[in-house]
Amino acid sequence: MDEDLTLSSGACLRIMKAPIDDSSTWKLQPNVQFLSIKQVTNPAGQGGPDRYRLIISDGTHFIQAMLATQLNHLVENGTIKKLCVAVLEKYTANIVQNKRLIIVMNVRVLGVTAEKLGNPQSLDNTLPAATTNNNPSGTSTTPAQQQFNATTSSSVSGGQSSVPQQPQRAGDRGAIFPLEGLSPFQNKWTIKVRVTQKSEIKQWANAKGDGKLFSCTLMDETGEIKATAFNQAVDDLYDRLEEGKVYYISRARVNLAKKKFSHLSNEYELGLERNTEIEECRDQVNVPTVKYTFVPLKDLENVPKDTTCDVIAIAKETHDLSEITSKSTGKTIPKRELTLVDRSGFSVRLTLWGEQAKKYSTTGQPVVAIKGVKVGDFGGRSLSMYSSSTMAINPDITEAHALRGWFDSAGSEANFQSHSNAMGSSSGSGGGINRSEMKTLQQVKDLNLGGSDKPDYFSSRIIVTHMRNENLSYPACPVEGCNRKVTESSEGWRCERCDRTHDKPEYRYILTLSGADYTGQLWLQGFNDVGMVLFGMPANELKALEDRDKDAYDSTLKKVLSQIVNVNCRAKQETFNDTTRIRYGINRIQPLDFTVDTELVLDQLAAFVQN
DNA sequence: CCCCCCCC
């Protein structure tokens, strides 16, 4: 090796500490040694190639740098490797959140040594404050950073004399960073954040092992981030973080967010670890509760399916707690639906899951402000809560007061349009009947809906032509959301699921009815909600009526026949006693609204004429 | 280091 492999001691110091506009620094072409070359995966969803992070030594100090991506091939073809000595021919410094990030743009490799040269020490990567402030370009501080700095300093001079400003937190934990400024490239920072959501502690066990974890959502003025703690850190930290409170947090790990599993708008997420420092902050200036970007319910049609948004609305209807069985896991999951309405004249269904569904016990018609809710396309548009979604009930914000005022004065009497019948129709409440999927009963048969393994869904307009008259209802467990059939014993009505005996049952409808349209006829199954619509009274009342006044009961049953209803049905193959047939269940039912349906027909006619 | 966000 004929090249001189002597390192340029002092180069790291000059690169990191010299004034940024001192161009002489960049003319320096030092000999350095690469102590480490590590691939850094590009943040998910940002596209672009991966990058390489270098540890550069001048024999006295070492610093971090990034290799310009156009030089990636030098790593990949082995030209640049660990312990090689090279001339930094061209490099530059970007200031990223008060840190100098060195980008290596051109190198000439001189050789490689068997061992690390010298005894290099880490060079503190923090810029002198004056250098940052004098940054001549002014472009390397993000707008959010500037805004954060501005608001922070205004709060200092804002006469908050009773709340002493938190001491300088620079120390070895670093300055207070806006959430937006966090990145894996620096680790000395403190954030000042509100915990807007904290999960339960979750245990897991899989092939790779077992453990426990919890996660929470942290928020400041600039953004939000998910933070997760595992195992020992769960014990240390779970009780120290409370929903709604504000904390200083430092020494957490910044990881790339796995977008597939996080619905927050942040490229990163935090790992809370054993040495993570958390300190409650009583000065809550400049830490908002939740930052909303509300979408009117009408505009949900423009929000792509499976993305999240924020809405504020009146919870016009609260449905009972029920449950579903997850197709993927087979687990039973509590569910509750709310019907939301707002001033845009639309109504949309919102589903709460699990604990959120169980805990929702608000009566009446509150204002709900929802952050990070998932948009679905069931019935045109629907909303579904993630566990990271938050709901504030009657929040003390301007939009909520305005909505309350509108609803109490006019909105409660208004008719609302749903996204399901928005096409072609101009008013009315479709409530889950998807007009674009309207089928005649003959079409249902011709298309063999329900004829495959998976269910098919369709909507039809039918007239009730017959109803099975016996066993219209069954005695059910009165526990909300249970609905299990109970059996009478000497002690009362026993529910096997709840393992309880009740004084009396809650009767629930279980109906078999014949529906017809101008093309054909089908037998349909319907449960309690169908009976409620057709009979206009709970099954308990109908049962009492049967005992009390047989004539009135008979006439009530008779009135069901010839009712015209719009229904949304689920067609699914079933095998019973070696016979396979298709069962049609009514998911949703709506009495015909002649005004709405006439308008719909007129619209269809107009479209037909135009074509 | 989990990872499901469900159903009709």
Side-chain angles (χ1 to χ4, degrees):
Chain A
M1 218 163 284
D2 47 9
E3 296 268 12
D4 179 4
L5 299 186
T6 309
L7 301 184
S8 307
S9 176
C12 288
L13 203 56
R14 288 192 69 182
I15 290 170
M16 297 311 288
K17 299 294 186 191
I20 199 107
D21 54 347
D22 180 355
S23 55
S24 67
T25 305
W26 317 115
K27 285 179 190 153
L28 178 75
Q29 295 197 345
N31 283 10
V32 298
Q33 182 169 40
F34 299 136
L35 299 184
S36 154
I37 298 152
K38 199 169 179 185
Q39 192 166 6
V40 183
T41 305
N42 202 60
Q46 289 202 335
D50 288 348
R51 306 199 63 147
Y52 291 98
R53 182 169 54 213
L54 313 170
I55 304 290
I56 291 174
S57 161
D58 63 7
T60 306
H61 292 111
F62 63 82
I63 58 175
Q64 268 190 35
M66 300 302 294
L67 190 67
T69 52
Q70 66 266 27
L71 300 188
N72 277 2
H73 67 281
L74 296 180
V75 176
E76 282 143 19
N77 69 17
T79 307
I80 297 178
K81 55 190 173 190
K82 193 174 171 178
L83 295 181
C84 78
V85 175
V87 184
L88 294 187
E89 293 192 323
K90 194 176 173 193
Y91 51 99
T92 184
N94 285 351
I95 302 231
V96 180
Q97 304 306 338
N98 275 5
K99 299 278 189 164
R100 222 173 261 206
L101 179 67
I102 306 302
I103 312 281
V104 174
M105 299 164 82
N106 208 1
V107 296
R108 179 162 51 89
V109 175
L110 304 174
V112 63
T113 63
E115 292 199 313
K116 180 170 74 175
L117 297 172
N119 183 23
Q121 303 297 305
S122 173
L123 190 61
D124 183 5
N125 186 14
T126 306
L127 279 178
T131 310
T132 309
N133 293 343
N134 292 338
N135 173 15
S137 72
T139 55
S140 49
T141 306
T142 66
Q145 173 79 68
Q146 287 163 356
Q147 181 202 340
F148 184 84
N149 292 341
T151 47
T152 303
S153 55
S154 74
S155 75
V156 174
S157 56
Q160 302 276 342
S161 53
S162 62
V163 186
Q165 196 62 23
Q166 217 59 60
Q168 282 292 330
R169 308 191 58 81
D172 62 348
R173 279 182 289 192
I176 294 175
F177 270 52
L179 274 184
E180 195 182 76
L182 292 187
S183 84
F185 300 118
Q186 69 265 312
N187 47 27
K188 282 186 185 170
W189 45 259
T190 295
I191 50 174
K192 179 181 171 182
V193 287
R194 190 183 297 276
V195 175
T196 57
Q197 183 268 135
K198 185 176 88 166
S199 78
E200 310 281 300
I201 295 175
K202 183 186 164 183
Q203 311 274 345
W204 87 85
N206 60 27
K208 284 181 250 169
D210 53 36
K212 59 184 171 183
L213 70 112
F214 78 94
S215 63
C216 55
T217 306
L218 310 176
M219 184 173 289
D220 75 2
E221 294 182 292
T222 69
E224 54 189 358
I225 195 165
K226 178 180 173 179
T228 308
F230 291 91
N231 301 322
Q232 180 64 44
V234 174
D235 297 334
D236 294 347
L237 301 177
Y238 190 74
D239 292 330
R240 295 189 50 204
L241 289 170
E242 280 181 55
E243 247 175 51
K245 289 193 173 175
V246 177
Y247 300 88
Y248 292 109
I249 298 178
S250 55
R251 297 183 195 239
R253 181 188 294 272
V254 182
N255 298 317
L256 282 171
K258 290 179 183 143
K259 285 294 185 181
K260 201 179 161 200
F261 305 119
S262 171
H263 316 291
L264 304 181
S265 58
N266 200 315
E267 291 302 322
Y268 303 112
E269 56 192 45
L270 294 180
L272 305 178
E273 303 185 316
R274 277 195 310 277
N275 60 345
T276 293
E277 290 180 24
I278 295 179
E279 183 188 335
E280 192 182 338
C281 166
R282 291 174 207 290
D283 154 32
Q284 304 198 351
V285 174
N286 295 323
V287 187
T289 44
V290 181
K291 190 175 66 176
Y292 293 103
T293 311
F294 293 123
V295 175
L297 297 183
K298 180 182 197 302
D299 295 348
L300 286 175
E301 61 187 344
N302 303 320
V303 179
K305 173 174 150 62
D306 297 330
T307 62
T308 61
C309 70
D310 308 340
V311 298
I312 188 163
I314 298 281
K316 191 165 190 277
E317 294 166 31
T318 301
H319 296 261
D320 290 347
L321 186 68
S322 63
E323 60 186 33
I324 58 111
T325 305
S326 166
K327 277 183 199 159
S328 53
T329 62
K331 272 199 282 187
T332 311
I333 298 144
K335 174 188 108 161
R336 186 192 299 276
E337 288 179 2
L338 305 184
T339 305
L340 305 185
V341 299
D342 73 359
R343 278 190 283 184
S344 70
F346 269 69
S347 85
V348 171
R349 210 175 84 185
L350 167 73
T351 308
L352 311 183
W353 302 101
E355 285 302 306
Q356 274 182 323
K358 285 202 224 164
K359 279 194 211 142
Y360 185 93
S361 56
T362 309
T363 52
Q365 298 173 311
V367 173
V368 291
I370 305 158
K371 171 123 201 99
V373 68
K374 179 188 180 185
V375 177
D377 66 354
F378 187 76
R381 273 291 176 273
S382 57
L383 297 172
S384 173
M385 296 290 273
Y386 283 125
S387 62
S388 59
S389 310
T390 61
M391 174 187 286
I393 293 171
N394 294 320
D396 188 12
I397 56 178
T398 314
E399 294 95 329
H401 299 307
L403 197 53
R404 180 87 265 155
W406 161 79
F407 189 75
D408 291 348
S409 62
S412 58
E413 300 301 320
N415 282 321
F416 296 95
Q417 188 177 352
S418 79
H419 287 283
S420 58
N421 63 2
M423 286 177 224
S425 168
S426 56
S427 68
S429 57
I433 312 289
N434 191 338
R435 304 300 201 158
S436 64
E437 291 173 23
M438 284 299 251
K439 298 272 188 294
T440 66
L441 300 185
Q442 189 60 48
Q443 283 177 311
V444 170
K445 292 174 189 169
D446 290 346
L447 295 166
N448 193 28
L449 295 182
S452 67
D453 289 342
K454 64 173 183 54
D456 290 310
Y457 298 92
F458 64 93
S459 296
S460 291
R461 180 156 60 244
I462 57 154
I463 181 165
V464 180
T465 54
H466 187 76
M467 177 145 54
R468 193 190 60 193
N469 266 3
E470 54 289 341
N471 301 329
L472 292 175
S473 60
Y474 69 96
C477 176
V479 171
E480 195 180 56
C482 176
N483 302 344
R484 180 65 62 94
K485 185 175 180 175
V486 290
T487 47
E488 194 170 17
S489 71
S490 54
E491 274 118 69
W493 298 83
R494 172 155 182 81
C495 176
E496 292 299 334
R497 172 191 297 192
C498 300
D499 195 20
R500 271 175 63 185
T501 301
H502 303 280
D503 292 344
K504 50 186 179 189
E506 173 107 343
Y507 280 87
R508 294 180 66 86
Y509 289 108
I510 177 162
L511 305 173
T512 301
L513 56 94
S514 164
D517 67 6
Y518 63 93
T519 67
Q521 178 273 346
L522 280 182
W523 284 96
L524 306 165
Q525 317 294 320
F527 290 103
N528 206 46
D529 48 341
V530 173
M532 287 293 287
V533 167
L534 292 177
F535 292 106
M537 66 178 82
N540 270 355
E541 270 181 45
L542 187 68
K543 196 135 184 78
L545 186 65
E546 182 179 12
D547 296 340
R548 194 176 68 235
D549 185 345
K550 193 69 168 56
D551 286 348
Y553 174 78
D554 287 343
S555 104
T556 303
L557 255 57
K558 214 170 182 178
K559 269 191 273 182
V560 169
L561 306 184
S562 81
Q563 279 194 45
I564 303 174
V565 289
N566 286 312
V567 287
N568 175 265
C569 297
R570 175 188 199 262
K572 176 86 170 70
Q573 225 171 46
E574 276 188 357
T575 302
F576 193 72
N577 287 345
D578 293 337
T579 313
T580 297
R581 60 192 193 103
I582 298 169
R583 189 187 135 103
Y584 305 94
I586 301 176
N587 290 324
R588 304 223 150 215
I589 182 166
Q590 212 122 62
L592 189 69
D593 178 326
F594 281 95
T595 311
V596 172
D597 276 65
T598 304
E599 280 177 13
L600 190 68
V601 170
L602 285 173
D603 288 347
Q604 286 169 340
L605 276 173
F608 180 73
V609 170
Q610 273 175 10
N611 294 334

